[in-house]
Amino acid sequence: TGAQQSATVANPASGASSDLLPHFQLEPEDVYIVKNKAVSLACRATPATQIYFKCNGEWVHQGDHVTQHSTDRSTGLPTMEVRIEVTRQQVEKIFGLEEYWCQCVAWSSSGTTKSQKAFVRIAYLRKNFEQEPTAREVSIEQGIVLPCRPPEGVPPAEVEWLRNEELVDPALDANVYVTPEHSLVLRQARLADTANYTCVAKNIVARRRSASAAITVYVNGGWSTWTQWSGCSTSCGRGWQKRSRTCTNPTPLNGGAFCEGQNVQKTACTTLCPVDGAWSEWSKWSECGAECTHWRSRECSEPAPRNGGRDCHGPELDTRNCTSELCTHAAPGAEDVALYVGLVAVAVCLVLLLLVGVLVYCRKKGGLDADVADSSILTAGFQPVSIKPSKADNPSLLTIQPDLSTTTMTYQGSLCPRQDGPAKLQLPNGHLLSPLGAGRHTLHHSSPAAEGADFVARLSTQSYFRSLPRGTNNMAYGTFNFLGGRLMIPNTGISLLIPPDAIPRGKIYEVYLTLHKQEEVRLPLAGCQTLLSPIVSCGPPGVLLTRPAILAMGHCVEASAENWSIRLKKQSCEGTWEDVLQLGAEPCTELYYCQLEAQACYVFTEQLGRFALVGESLSMAASKRLKLVLFAPAACPSLEYNIRVYCLSDTQDVLKEVIQLEKQLGGQLIGAPRVLHFKDSYHNLRLSIHDMPSSLWKSKLLASYQEIPFYHIWSGLQPFLHCTFTLERLSTSTCELACKIWVWQVEGDGQSFTVNFNIAKDTRFSDWLVPDEVGTPALVGPSAFKIPFLIRQKIISSLDPPGTRGADWRTLAQKLNLDSHLSFFASKASPTAMILNLWEARHFPNGNLSQLAAAVAEVGKQDGALFSEAEC
């Protein structure tokens, strides 16, 4: 020990070079002592005359070193290698004070060098897990988290998971991943995930297994669609008819709840009894005719056959000879002369009508623009609209304005010429609808629309008709020319604005707008994508527009740039859905643009087609708006009473469909609709009923709550999701219902409905069942716009050119809070027209023209030279 201590203070030889200091070729490394086995530490240095280990600051006895001398072949310098062994007892002597470490010190004639420290630790692994996975029963497609905190150990234990004793590999199954805290996460539970799961922890000492956790994935039953109503049980008179459904959509599995509600519905029916026809009395015999015959008649009217009854048998006319009087063939008299004169007059009238028809046809043919004749080429086979007049008593006809080639509408007023210099429009004292003076300006209107049946008949010849919904309940259609117009599907918030001059002059287009049900169109969604709007078609495809039309539709997204990526999708001719626009990003084409507002979006498009708004959540804070609506039967003849709670996407079209469905079922609204913000948190929606008077009512629900899976709601593809609470009143005399229904997302905020309702007569919320919108689905020409045509043209000509001090269309956009879209407006030939078109789409039919007039007037006041009212 004395020799070692003296070596530590040895000075390098005088004049020795620094490169003769020893350097280590092998340094000691960290090791673990497993059970009672000693560990070996080694180091090797060159050039070295002595090497000793120092452990925890104390030199190791020379006798404990195993030394080996050699010479480095490449340098010829002496090399020394030393080994020591460390036992468990040596480490345990200082256990708890500090970690046990050892270090090599090498000497040469030039000085000393120290190696790195090597730590010696006692390896172990405790037996008991800090947290083990537990057995669970979960609904299909629900997320599962199995926690596992392994036992304490040195070195720390590695964790792996077993499913039925087979290793779970997240690299092979995208539905599975393991968190840094060792929890096993199943993103969406599948039936195949029903198994026993075991958490395994291991290190160099031992391998520990947790208790196995049994995971059962169950499927709650769902009703199939109702079958068609059966025929009436009686062929004549009052009877019954029924329809049924089965709990097979899906079938309950692994203990899943059976479907709530009735599987058979009955309703009364009445079949009209057939009535066979019977003859009336014969009429009196007629006078004897020139042919010596007379006749009599009768009618099958006492009663007339109806409801499939048999017609009368036998002749309705009876003739016989006049044998009782002398019959002679008289010469033609005055009656014959009158007959011949009448026939000649009819022939002359027919010739005159034919001549008039030929003249009108020639005049029409000569007056039509050449472009009208071949407009059907651009409309994929549509023919120009018929010019026959509409019948006043036929409500199915679309009545629009007279033909542009024959009828005009004249406005009295003057249009001020544009002044040289920066003159602008000024409306300081007048209203936007004020007359324009004493000049004459003519506006043409379009021709009458075809009948609805004719339109659908022509539409059915096109290839794309197969993908359109049948019937006209959710469709609007009309015939348009350069004056433009709009289509609207009532009570849905869906409309299509065709601005003036969007259709080339001389062209006539038949345009449709239709709303699709989600089951009619397959819209593929991937990952966290969700449908945010209805699926809407406008067409026909291939129509040439010179300015963008504006498609308005509702949406249910609580939009924010950090939570959502929202895209406008359009279906191609091949049937695939393509992203044509990402909201908030620079548009890759000028064909489409979208203005997203709180409740609706406005899509500018120069190509008609099928559109939908799809979002992808970027964080779990992303949320959609759900409309929660409660319905119950208007009458309750039995003891059972069902309350249906619908969870709908918050758009008008879905609410319209549910209201129509409930009208057929005889339901009535029993609470004002509520809005719930549903977050992308993978948590299901739960519904429960509370606070019913137990002396009057009881719930037949077996569980404490009902649950709608997260993905059924989040996708947006199942619009009529609902739960039914079946209640039973203890007496038929009970008519008052008082309870509270809670609706909440697991680990989220919720809504409660306090229901106080009289089954027999309560109609407090019946106003919600009245349609919100009335009006014509198709409006053509000036009647489709709030801003008069000449006023609109004057605003455009005044504000399109750049003005002094910014008094132009940019200031108008700022006044109307549209300045975030300046780059889009600037890309169009007339930015002011785009602004006015968007104003029309947003504010029809209840827009406040006074506010628009005030905004235009403020723009005019910013310019130095203004129009004066006297000049106009």
mmCIF file of all heavy atoms in Angstrom, residues 23-39:
data_model
loop_
_atom_site.group_PDB
_atom_site.id
_atom_site.type_symbol
_atom_site.label_atom_id
_atom_site.label_comp_id
_atom_site.label_asym_id
_atom_site.label_seq_id
_atom_site.Cartn_x
_atom_site.Cartn_y
_atom_site.Cartn_z
ATOM 1 N N HIS A 23 -2.097 5.579 -21.877
ATOM 2 C CA HIS A 23 -3.496 5.707 -22.305
ATOM 3 C C HIS A 23 -4.122 4.315 -22.295
ATOM 4 O O HIS A 23 -3.453 3.311 -22.536
ATOM 5 C CB HIS A 23 -3.608 6.340 -23.697
ATOM 6 C CG HIS A 23 -3.065 5.484 -24.793
ATOM 7 N ND1 HIS A 23 -1.723 5.477 -25.152
ATOM 8 C CD2 HIS A 23 -3.691 4.585 -25.633
ATOM 9 C CE1 HIS A 23 -1.529 4.636 -26.151
ATOM 10 N NE2 HIS A 23 -2.703 4.063 -26.458
ATOM 11 N N PHE A 24 -5.404 4.298 -22.009
ATOM 12 C CA PHE A 24 -6.110 3.025 -21.794
ATOM 13 C C PHE A 24 -6.623 2.471 -23.108
ATOM 14 O O PHE A 24 -7.277 3.150 -23.889
ATOM 15 C CB PHE A 24 -7.277 3.222 -20.824
ATOM 16 C CG PHE A 24 -6.843 3.395 -19.395
ATOM 17 C CD1 PHE A 24 -6.643 4.662 -18.862
ATOM 18 C CD2 PHE A 24 -6.622 2.284 -18.585
ATOM 19 C CE1 PHE A 24 -6.255 4.818 -17.561
ATOM 20 C CE2 PHE A 24 -6.228 2.442 -17.275
ATOM 21 C CZ PHE A 24 -6.030 3.710 -16.745
ATOM 22 N N GLN A 25 -6.289 1.206 -23.322
ATOM 23 C CA GLN A 25 -6.860 0.456 -24.439
ATOM 24 C C GLN A 25 -8.137 -0.263 -24.036
ATOM 25 O O GLN A 25 -8.974 -0.584 -24.875
ATOM 26 C CB GLN A 25 -5.841 -0.555 -24.974
ATOM 27 C CG GLN A 25 -4.587 0.082 -25.530
ATOM 28 C CD GLN A 25 -3.563 -0.967 -25.967
ATOM 29 O OE1 GLN A 25 -3.548 -2.070 -25.420
ATOM 30 N NE2 GLN A 25 -2.697 -0.591 -26.900
ATOM 31 N N LEU A 26 -8.309 -0.505 -22.755
ATOM 32 C CA LEU A 26 -9.511 -1.146 -22.226
ATOM 33 C C LEU A 26 -9.829 -0.509 -20.892
ATOM 34 O O LEU A 26 -8.965 -0.446 -20.024
ATOM 35 C CB LEU A 26 -9.298 -2.661 -22.062
ATOM 36 C CG LEU A 26 -10.448 -3.445 -21.417
ATOM 37 C CD1 LEU A 26 -11.687 -3.420 -22.301
ATOM 38 C CD2 LEU A 26 -10.011 -4.884 -21.132
ATOM 39 N N GLU A 27 -11.049 -0.023 -20.708
ATOM 40 C CA GLU A 27 -11.466 0.608 -19.454
ATOM 41 C C GLU A 27 -12.568 -0.221 -18.812
ATOM 42 O O GLU A 27 -13.330 -0.922 -19.505
ATOM 43 C CB GLU A 27 -11.973 2.022 -19.720
ATOM 44 C CG GLU A 27 -10.899 2.966 -20.263
ATOM 45 C CD GLU A 27 -11.400 4.398 -20.381
ATOM 46 O OE1 GLU A 27 -11.497 5.083 -19.345
ATOM 47 O OE2 GLU A 27 -11.714 4.824 -21.521
ATOM 48 N N PRO A 28 -12.680 -0.177 -17.506
ATOM 49 C CA PRO A 28 -13.730 -0.950 -16.821
ATOM 50 C C PRO A 28 -15.122 -0.413 -17.191
ATOM 51 O O PRO A 28 -15.296 0.793 -17.379
ATOM 52 C CB PRO A 28 -13.422 -0.761 -15.341
ATOM 53 C CG PRO A 28 -12.629 0.496 -15.274
ATOM 54 C CD PRO A 28 -11.824 0.563 -16.538
ATOM 55 N N GLU A 29 -16.132 -1.297 -17.282
ATOM 56 C CA GLU A 29 -17.501 -0.920 -17.651
ATOM 57 C C GLU A 29 -18.463 -1.309 -16.542
ATOM 58 O O GLU A 29 -18.169 -2.178 -15.715
ATOM 59 C CB GLU A 29 -17.907 -1.611 -18.950
ATOM 60 C CG GLU A 29 -17.073 -1.187 -20.152
ATOM 61 C CD GLU A 29 -17.524 -1.892 -21.421
ATOM 62 O OE1 GLU A 29 -18.325 -2.853 -21.313
ATOM 63 O OE2 GLU A 29 -17.073 -1.477 -22.513
ATOM 64 N N ASP A 30 -19.642 -0.628 -16.537
ATOM 65 C CA ASP A 30 -20.673 -0.897 -15.535
ATOM 66 C C ASP A 30 -21.104 -2.355 -15.621
ATOM 67 O O ASP A 30 -21.264 -2.913 -16.724
ATOM 68 C CB ASP A 30 -21.891 -0.014 -15.769
ATOM 69 C CG ASP A 30 -21.560 1.468 -15.595
ATOM 70 O OD1 ASP A 30 -20.489 1.767 -15.045
ATOM 71 O OD2 ASP A 30 -22.377 2.312 -16.026
ATOM 72 N N VAL A 31 -21.318 -2.971 -14.456
ATOM 73 C CA VAL A 31 -21.740 -4.368 -14.390
ATOM 74 C C VAL A 31 -22.806 -4.531 -13.320
ATOM 75 O O VAL A 31 -22.954 -3.673 -12.425
ATOM 76 C CB VAL A 31 -20.555 -5.317 -14.106
ATOM 77 C CG1 VAL A 31 -19.607 -5.375 -15.275
ATOM 78 C CG2 VAL A 31 -19.825 -4.896 -12.829
ATOM 79 N N TYR A 32 -23.584 -5.614 -13.439
ATOM 80 C CA TYR A 32 -24.600 -5.960 -12.443
ATOM 81 C C TYR A 32 -24.222 -7.295 -11.813
ATOM 82 O O TYR A 32 -23.821 -8.233 -12.503
ATOM 83 C CB TYR A 32 -25.979 -6.081 -13.092
ATOM 84 C CG TYR A 32 -26.533 -4.770 -13.585
ATOM 85 C CD1 TYR A 32 -26.370 -4.405 -14.914
ATOM 86 C CD2 TYR A 32 -27.210 -3.913 -12.731
ATOM 87 C CE1 TYR A 32 -26.883 -3.215 -15.388
ATOM 88 C CE2 TYR A 32 -27.727 -2.722 -13.191
ATOM 89 C CZ TYR A 32 -27.560 -2.365 -14.517
ATOM 90 O OH TYR A 32 -28.063 -1.176 -14.968
ATOM 91 N N ILE A 33 -24.375 -7.367 -10.489
ATOM 92 C CA ILE A 33 -24.162 -8.619 -9.766
ATOM 93 C C ILE A 33 -25.485 -9.350 -9.701
ATOM 94 O O ILE A 33 -26.470 -8.835 -9.166
ATOM 95 C CB ILE A 33 -23.611 -8.357 -8.351
ATOM 96 C CG1 ILE A 33 -22.239 -7.700 -8.433
ATOM 97 C CG2 ILE A 33 -23.551 -9.649 -7.550
ATOM 98 C CD1 ILE A 33 -21.657 -7.356 -7.082
ATOM 99 N N VAL A 34 -25.530 -10.534 -10.312
ATOM 100 C CA VAL A 34 -26.737 -11.339 -10.329
ATOM 101 C C VAL A 34 -26.609 -12.405 -9.256
ATOM 102 O O VAL A 34 -25.675 -13.219 -9.291
ATOM 103 C CB VAL A 34 -26.955 -11.968 -11.716
ATOM 104 C CG1 VAL A 34 -28.201 -12.824 -11.719
ATOM 105 C CG2 VAL A 34 -27.023 -10.883 -12.770
ATOM 106 N N LYS A 35 -27.542 -12.363 -8.324
ATOM 107 C CA LYS A 35 -27.549 -13.272 -7.177
ATOM 108 C C LYS A 35 -26.219 -13.153 -6.428
ATOM 109 O O LYS A 35 -25.857 -12.078 -5.981
ATOM 110 C CB LYS A 35 -27.839 -14.692 -7.644
ATOM 111 C CG LYS A 35 -29.233 -14.828 -8.287
ATOM 112 C CD LYS A 35 -29.557 -16.234 -8.693
ATOM 113 C CE LYS A 35 -30.968 -16.299 -9.287
ATOM 114 N NZ LYS A 35 -31.338 -17.646 -9.736
ATOM 115 N N ASN A 36 -25.423 -14.237 -6.301
ATOM 116 C CA ASN A 36 -24.180 -14.159 -5.511
ATOM 117 C C ASN A 36 -22.934 -14.328 -6.371
ATOM 118 O O ASN A 36 -21.853 -14.626 -5.838
ATOM 119 C CB ASN A 36 -24.179 -15.224 -4.403
ATOM 120 C CG ASN A 36 -25.261 -14.943 -3.365
ATOM 121 O OD1 ASN A 36 -25.457 -13.791 -2.994
ATOM 122 N ND2 ASN A 36 -25.944 -15.982 -2.913
ATOM 123 N N LYS A 37 -23.079 -14.188 -7.651
ATOM 124 C CA LYS A 37 -21.946 -14.374 -8.533
ATOM 125 C C LYS A 37 -21.096 -13.108 -8.568
ATOM 126 O O LYS A 37 -21.607 -12.018 -8.839
ATOM 127 C CB LYS A 37 -22.413 -14.733 -9.936
ATOM 128 C CG LYS A 37 -23.148 -16.060 -10.023
ATOM 129 C CD LYS A 37 -23.567 -16.344 -11.444
ATOM 130 C CE LYS A 37 -24.323 -17.670 -11.544
ATOM 131 N NZ LYS A 37 -24.758 -17.959 -12.921
ATOM 132 N N ALA A 38 -19.766 -13.272 -8.287
ATOM 133 C CA ALA A 38 -18.851 -12.132 -8.336
ATOM 134 C C ALA A 38 -18.684 -11.690 -9.784
ATOM 135 O O ALA A 38 -18.814 -12.470 -10.724
ATOM 136 C CB ALA A 38 -17.501 -12.505 -7.743
ATOM 137 N N VAL A 39 -18.370 -10.411 -9.961
ATOM 138 C CA VAL A 39 -18.160 -9.848 -11.296
ATOM 139 C C VAL A 39 -16.703 -9.464 -11.440
ATOM 140 O O VAL A 39 -15.991 -9.192 -10.463
ATOM 141 C CB VAL A 39 -19.068 -8.629 -11.527
ATOM 142 C CG1 VAL A 39 -20.529 -9.046 -11.525
ATOM 143 C CG2 VAL A 39 -18.830 -7.550 -10.494
#
